[in-house]
Amino acid sequence: MMMRTKQILFAALGLMIFLPSFLSYGAAAEAEGKITSKDEVVYATLKSNGELEDIYVVNTLEVAKAGELIDYGKYSSVKNLTDLSELDQNGQVVQINAPEGKFYYQGNMEDNTELPWDIEISYLLDGREVVASELAGKEGHVEIKINTAANEKADSVYFENYLLQISLQLSNSYQNIEADGGMVANAGKNKQITFTVMPGQEESLSAEADVADFEFSGIDIAAVPSTLPIDTSEMENMTDDMSALSDAIRELNNGVAELKKGVSELNDGAASLRDGSAKYKNGMSELSGSSSQVVAASSSIGDALKKINSSLSQGSDEMDMSSLSELPGGLTQLANGLNQAADGLSELRKNYSEAYSALDGAIKGIPDHQLSEEEIAGLLSSGADANVVNKLVDTYKSAQKVKGTYVQVQKAFAAVDPTLNQVSGSVKEMSGNLTTIANELSASLEDMDMGALGELQKGLSTLSSNYGEFHSGLVSYTKGVSELSSSYSQLHSGIAGLSGGTSELNKGVGELHNGTSELHQETKDLPEQMQQEINEMIKEYDKSDFEPVSFVSAKNEKVTSVQFVIKTEAVEKEDQETKQAKPEKKKGFWDLLLELF
């Protein structure tokens, strides 16, 4: 009876304390409430292999006006986290009598609920895959692999717009901790490893270490909308730099095109020079080859003159007139030989003039541009073929050397033509004089009387004496022609080498121009392409315009935030010590009072 009386007193006291608040709350519930925003935090626990174990959502309602509210969700059950009032759940409809301010309640998701990500976790011990529970307390090399992918059974909006931050902690006592693609940082007594998975990306992550007495607190995964701030101001400078690079490559290509044109002209000039030089060389060789015959004929004529002069000086009785009668024929033969030599000199002069004109034009066609070491280095760093550039530089240096040498010896080249003209004229004149002498001598012999032999002997004596000087000059001339022919062979070899070099240069510059043209075509739109890539990157990773979507129901409105907090189970050693049971706390007045209701 006494116990019954106490219960009645407690009930009456409780009614007196809570009845005013219940009455006022009930009156407020009759009115329709109003919310300004709704936040959802999705909590999920995973097994050690990544398989979903449990999932629930904590909803936060910002209540601007107290009263009856309706929220939606595919919950198996709901729980009020704000006060002790019950929530009314009817299918996917949750009715709430909420006071003004923040109102929290938990919704436990149905069993068939799917996370937006497929998460697979595997464990290896010394290269052998094992289940997580077998690792507890083990020693060896442990590797933890985490694979993330889109879950085709869930709404793709979260996979495409949410960033995953995956973190795990390993004991600081573990050795050789590595994380491919992750960031490792100290966190007290542990090393914290953090991975970031960008929206829409599937990743394979890995962390490994040499462990002893292995324990693992599990993997924490947070998923939030990607709101990475992207500053595009520096990117504008970058595109400007790319524009300058593109313009520089265009100018380089134009310069190489001009170089190609000049080198082509130089190559044509060098080829003409080589052909003219070959003709000149052949003419010199022929002239040098016939010089010995001319010298031999001249020597025979000199001997004949000496013999005739000697015979005439001994008197008419001892003179052999048959030898004298042979003299006009010998002089005519020598005159013909000199005439042929003069014709050869004229042909030589013509060929030389053509060759010298081609040489002069080709040498003058070599550009006077001077390439600095900085310009050569810039050309090498432009991306062009280094072998081609080196050939170009070597040929450029050789061409400049040839031009410098030509300037020094140009006077000698220019003096050859008038000299050949003078020598040819002199030889022609000598040939004519000898022909005249031969004709006059032949006529004199036909009409000769013994009284005229004195004058003839005197004339022949003078001719014999002077002919020695002529013969010496002719020998020196032929010797000079031989030396010139020999020296010019070396010059012709150099000219032929120059022609071959310019041909290689022309080919190399052509390849270089093809390369710079291709480079120009590939880079002329580089600034626009780069800007397009930047825009696509910003579009892919900047989710600042993303509108949150309720995870629990598409009917929910005014959703301002949806976040995911995911945790895997830990790997722990079994505790062998039996925990002592804590003594039951003695219930106080308020505990007993609350139990009544």
Side-chain angles (χ1 to χ4, degrees):
M1 183 66 178
M2 189 67 177
M3 186 65 178
R4 179 68 176 172
T5 303
K6 287 183 178 180
Q7 289 178 348
I8 294 172
L9 289 175
F10 287 154
L13 182 58
L15 288 173
M16 287 187 292
I17 295 174
F18 289 98
L19 186 57
S21 61
F22 284 158
L23 291 175
S24 61
Y25 182 74
E30 293 178 357
E32 183 179 354
K34 179 181 179 181
I35 66 170
T36 56
S37 65
K38 179 180 190 292
D39 295 340
E40 296 175 0
V41 181
V42 182
Y43 293 91
T45 56
L46 308 180
K47 295 180 181 179
S48 57
N49 62 356
E51 183 181 342
L52 181 62
E53 187 172 39
D54 187 27
I55 182 171
Y56 65 92
V57 178
V58 173
N59 299 278
T60 303
L61 306 178
E62 188 68 41
V63 182
K65 179 182 177 182
E68 185 176 339
L69 304 173
I70 294 179
D71 200 34
Y72 301 91
K74 299 177 182 179
Y75 303 124
S76 59
S77 63
V78 294
K79 181 180 180 182
N80 190 339
L81 301 177
T82 304
D83 54 37
L84 299 177
S85 63
E86 293 291 333
L87 304 180
D88 186 8
Q89 180 184 10
N90 184 11
Q92 295 186 17
V93 179
V94 180
Q95 293 181 334
I96 306 167
N97 289 323
E100 186 176 336
K102 291 187 181 295
F103 186 87
Y104 304 91
Y105 81 94
Q106 175 179 325
N108 299 313
M109 302 300 296
E110 295 177 351
D111 294 338
N112 61 352
T113 303
E114 298 281 348
L115 283 174
W117 301 271
D118 273 337
I119 299 173
E120 295 181 358
I121 305 171
S122 58
Y123 302 82
L124 288 85
L125 177 61
D126 295 329
R128 179 177 61 89
E129 187 169 347
V130 296
V131 296
S133 59
E134 293 183 14
L135 285 174
K138 293 295 176 56
E139 179 180 353
H141 185 79
V142 172
E143 183 177 4
I144 303 173
K145 293 184 176 182
I146 307 167
N147 296 325
T148 66
N151 187 349
E152 301 297 335
K153 299 177 182 179
D155 192 344
S156 62
V157 67
Y158 304 103
F159 177 79
E160 293 173 354
N161 293 279
Y162 275 53
L163 177 147
L164 291 182
Q165 188 172 45
I166 303 173
S167 60
L168 57 151
Q169 290 189 349
L170 297 178
S171 173
N172 211 16
S173 62
Y174 296 164
Q175 302 296 316
N176 303 319
I177 297 176
E178 294 183 4
D180 186 16
M183 181 177 65
V184 181
N186 290 318
K189 296 186 296 182
N190 299 315
K191 289 282 189 182
Q192 178 163 308
I193 302 172
T194 304
F195 300 95
T196 300
V197 180
M198 301 303 292
Q201 301 296 314
E202 298 183 353
E203 294 288 351
S204 295
L205 312 173
S206 172
E208 54 188 300
D210 295 325
V211 305
D213 196 19
F214 182 77
E215 279 190 303
F216 181 47
S217 60
I219 301 172
D220 294 307
I221 303 173
V224 294
S226 176
T227 55
L228 296 176
I230 301 178
D231 183 7
T232 60
S233 59
E234 292 297 327
M235 296 180 183
E236 293 178 359
N237 295 333
M238 189 183 303
T239 54
D240 291 341
D241 292 341
M242 290 300 102
S243 297
L245 174 62
S246 180
D247 293 341
I249 292 175
R250 184 188 68 249
E251 293 177 2
L252 172 64
N253 183 55
N254 293 338
V256 172
E258 291 294 325
L259 175 64
K260 179 184 177 184
K261 181 180 178 181
V263 169
S264 179
E265 294 175 355
L266 172 63
N267 185 51
D268 293 341
S272 299
L273 172 63
R274 180 199 60 213
D275 296 339
S277 176
K279 293 179 181 179
Y280 179 70
K281 173 179 173 293
N282 293 335
M284 289 293 297
S285 297
E286 292 177 2
L287 180 62
S288 176
S290 62
S291 294
S292 59
Q293 299 177 3
V294 174
V295 171
S298 177
S299 179
S300 298
I301 292 172
D303 292 341
L305 287 174
K306 289 179 180 179
K307 185 176 180 181
I308 293 172
N309 182 50
S310 176
S311 299
L312 290 175
S313 62
Q314 294 175 3
S316 58
D317 295 335
E318 298 179 4
M319 183 178 62
D320 186 359
M321 297 301 293
S322 62
S323 298
L324 184 61
S325 62
E326 294 175 358
L327 179 60
L331 292 174
T332 300
Q333 184 179 0
L334 176 60
N336 292 336
L338 291 175
N339 194 47
Q340 292 177 0
D343 292 340
L345 287 172
S346 297
E347 182 67 23
L348 173 63
R349 177 178 171 240
K350 177 183 178 182
N351 292 336
Y352 176 82
S353 178
E354 293 177 355
Y356 176 65
S357 177
L359 174 65
D360 186 67
I363 296 297
K364 289 181 178 179
I366 298 176
D368 292 326
H369 307 307
Q370 298 295 321
L371 290 178
S372 64
E373 295 297 329
E374 291 77 9
E375 289 173 326
I376 295 174
L379 189 59
L380 286 170
S381 62
S382 68
D385 190 333
N387 292 329
V388 174
V389 175
N390 288 331
K391 289 180 181 179
L392 174 63
V393 173
D394 292 341
T395 306
Y396 158 77
K397 292 180 178 178
S398 299
Q400 293 300 318
K401 183 177 180 181
V402 168
K403 187 167 185 177
T405 304
Y406 175 75
V407 171
Q408 296 176 1
V409 300
Q410 187 176 10
K411 290 183 179 179
F413 278 109
V416 172
D417 182 76
T419 301
L420 288 176
N421 186 40
Q422 181 179 359
V423 172
S424 176
S426 299
V427 173
K428 277 281 188 182
E429 184 178 357
M430 291 170 58
S431 174
N433 292 335
L434 286 177
T435 300
T436 301
I437 294 173
N439 293 335
E440 292 179 354
L441 181 60
S442 177
S444 298
L445 289 175
E446 292 178 358
D447 300 331
M448 181 182 68
D449 56 9
M450 297 309 293
L453 285 178
E455 294 181 4
L456 176 63
Q457 189 271 335
K458 182 178 179 181
L460 287 175
S461 177
T462 302
L463 176 63
S464 177
S465 300
N466 294 334
Y467 194 84
E469 296 179 4
F470 167 76
H471 180 74
S472 298
L474 187 63
V475 170
S476 299
Y477 158 71
T478 54
K479 182 179 179 181
V481 169
S482 178
E483 293 176 354
L484 178 60
S485 176
S486 177
S487 301
Y488 195 80
S489 295
Q490 299 177 4
L491 177 60
H492 177 71
S493 297
I495 292 175
L498 174 63
S499 178
T502 57
S503 178
E504 288 293 326
L505 173 63
N506 189 46
K507 180 180 178 182
V509 172
E511 294 175 356
L512 176 63
H513 184 245
N514 292 337
T516 56
S517 296
E518 183 178 354
L519 180 62
H520 172 57
Q521 290 298 322
E522 292 179 354
T523 58
K524 66 178 183 179
D525 299 326
L526 183 61
E528 292 79 6
Q529 293 174 355
M530 185 173 183
Q531 186 62 54
Q532 183 178 356
E533 292 290 336
I534 291 173
N535 293 339
E536 291 179 359
M537 181 190 69
I538 293 175
K539 181 179 178 181
E540 182 177 2
Y541 294 118
D542 184 9
K543 308 296 181 179
S544 57
D545 58 347
F546 172 69
E547 296 290 340
V549 178
S550 174
F551 177 74
V552 295
S553 175
K555 296 181 179 180
N556 288 327
E557 300 177 350
K558 299 181 180 179
V559 178
T560 58
S561 173
V562 177
Q563 300 181 23
F564 295 81
V565 178
I566 305 170
K567 172 87 174 168
T568 68
E569 62 183 0
V571 179
E572 298 177 334
K573 295 183 296 182
E574 292 184 4
D575 191 356
Q576 302 298 329
E577 298 180 2
T578 304
K579 295 182 179 180
Q580 296 181 356
K582 294 182 180 179
E584 185 177 354
K585 182 180 178 182
K586 186 177 181 180
K587 295 181 179 179
F589 169 77
W590 290 107
D591 296 322
L592 296 174
L593 181 61
L594 290 174
E595 285 183 356
L596 293 175
F597 303 95

